[in-house]
Amino acid sequence: MEKVASECPARRVTKLRATALRRAFGACVDRLAEKMADMTEKIQNYRTAPFDARFPNTNQTRNCYQNYLDYHRCNKALAAKGLDVSPCDWYQRVFKSLCPVGWVEKWNDQVENGTFAGRV
Amino acid sequence: MATPLQLGFQDAASPVMEELVHFHDHALMVVYLISSFVLYIIITLVMMKLTNKHAHDSQEIEIVWTVLPAIILIVVALPSLRILYLMDEINNPHLTVKAIGHQWYWSYEYTDYKDLSFDSYMTPTQDLTPGQFRLLEVDHRMVVPTESPIRVLITADDVIHSWTVPSMGVKMDAVPGRLNQTTFIPSRPGVYYGQCSEICGANHSFMPIVIEAVPLKHFEDWSTSMLEFT
């Protein structure tokens, strides 16, 4: 999936008003808004985790784990920039489809306790 | 399910299994032809009166019994590879089910939309009703919709198990800490049985797998009722 959070070039913005933001980021924000609308539609039409070419083989352990990591990283990155975190729902749907419930609960506990081994 | 003294495969319930059955018939015919030919040669050699103590070499027969086996191997290998690649084709599944092996039962999770998970224990022999199959029935079957590619992700909670349904042509090891993927397409509605296929302790023979393939509408009704029930 495209890196939503880093689409727009970093620019110094002193005013947070819509007009100032639009002047600063212009077309980039329109493209971002379009991508987020596509993403919302993709999530609404979700059936199950689609084929992921990064994990073409029988062993799907990494597919599950990677989506779990990406969900948390996406949340952290978008929240840090003050953007809407709903595109991250895609990763959540995918790892919920793929990962056993027991694994997710264990990892959630570890994240809460700060003992999760992955970088989130 | 298998019947007593059964020699052949169970009836195929998925397109891949149909192909495997046809390939098996083809390969077995090749085996019969070679075996009967060799048997005939051996009997003839033993029973005949001709003896030749001076035969040293013969280019013609050497060529024949080199080229002919090569041709036979190609005739067997080509359909085999065709099916191998067919099994590996990328198909976007309609549903993902997780099958988790425990000592000594399976649990199934359907988490594409809501979280549905349940355990599937073997029905003890004394609790069977007439017409049910000994050591094969379970309390909660894995229900799937027909004619849809189903992705099954298989893992285990404790020791290695193996999830298999012979009539669908699927078998995959359930390894703790690893998520193994297999896909199948149930061609027709029905109930299909399998048994744990990796030794996993005292009750390894008593943790069967039952798939109930139903039309999509019935599957949706079943999952709604299971969500209310669990």
Side-chain angles (χ1 to χ4, degrees), chain A residues 9-79:
Chain A
R11 288 221 180 95
R12 193 174 164 74
V13 175
T14 48
K15 298 193 178 76
L16 281 175
R17 265 198 248 123
T19 44
L21 282 173
R22 193 156 286 282
R23 218 179 292 126
F25 294 105
C28 165
V29 171
D30 293 332
R31 278 200 310 273
L32 209 58
E34 201 184 302
K35 267 194 185 136
M36 281 165 89
D38 287 341
M39 182 50 53
T40 318
E41 197 194 327
K42 219 163 116 178
I43 291 173
Q44 271 170 356
N45 294 340
Y46 183 84
R47 201 150 49 167
T48 188
F51 171 73
D52 189 337
R54 297 174 297 168
F55 313 103
N57 298 321
T58 302
N59 187 0
Q60 295 289 299
T61 318
R62 193 75 199 181
N63 193 354
C64 143
Y65 186 62
Q66 193 61 50
N67 278 285
Y68 184 82
L69 290 177
D70 288 345
Y71 171 67
H72 285 281
R73 290 174 187 170
C74 172
N75 268 342
K76 193 170 165 193
L78 290 186

Side-chain angles (χ1 to χ4, degrees), chain B residues 87-137:
Chain B
M87 285 160 61
D88 250 358
E89 264 189 13
I90 295 161
N91 53 359
N92 268 320
H94 291 189
L95 177 72
T96 300
V97 186
K98 278 159 277 179
I100 299 162
H102 310 259
Q103 283 176 312
W104 289 280
Y105 62 98
W106 293 94
S107 62
Y108 299 107
E109 296 176 359
Y110 295 67
T111 50
D112 286 327
Y113 304 102
K114 301 248 172 69
D115 282 346
L116 168 61
S117 35
F118 55 89
D119 298 336
S120 178
Y121 279 86
M122 184 188 83
T123 307
T125 306
Q126 59 259 34
D127 297 344
L128 290 172
T129 56
Q132 287 192 309
F133 303 122
R134 192 179 69 93
L135 307 185
L136 286 176
E137 301 287 353

Side-chain angles (χ1 to χ4, degrees), chain B residues 11-19 166-170 184-188:
Chain B
D11 289 341
S14 74
V16 165
M17 190 59 197
E18 283 175 41
E19 293 291 334
S167 48
M168 298 285 178
V170 286
F184 65 91
I185 303 176
S187 320
R188 52 190 168 84

Side-chain angles (χ1 to χ4, degrees), chain B residues 5 29 33 35 54 74 101 155 226:
Chain B
L5 302 178
M29 186 52 67
L33 289 173
S35 304
H54 303 293
I74 291 171
T155 184
M226 284 298 281

Side-chain angles (χ1 to χ4, degrees), chain B residues 148-164:
Chain B
S148 316
I150 314 280
R151 175 204 271 131
V152 187
L153 294 166
I154 298 154
T155 184
D157 226 9
D158 34 45
V159 298
I160 303 179
H161 302 264
S162 185
W163 192 88
T164 177

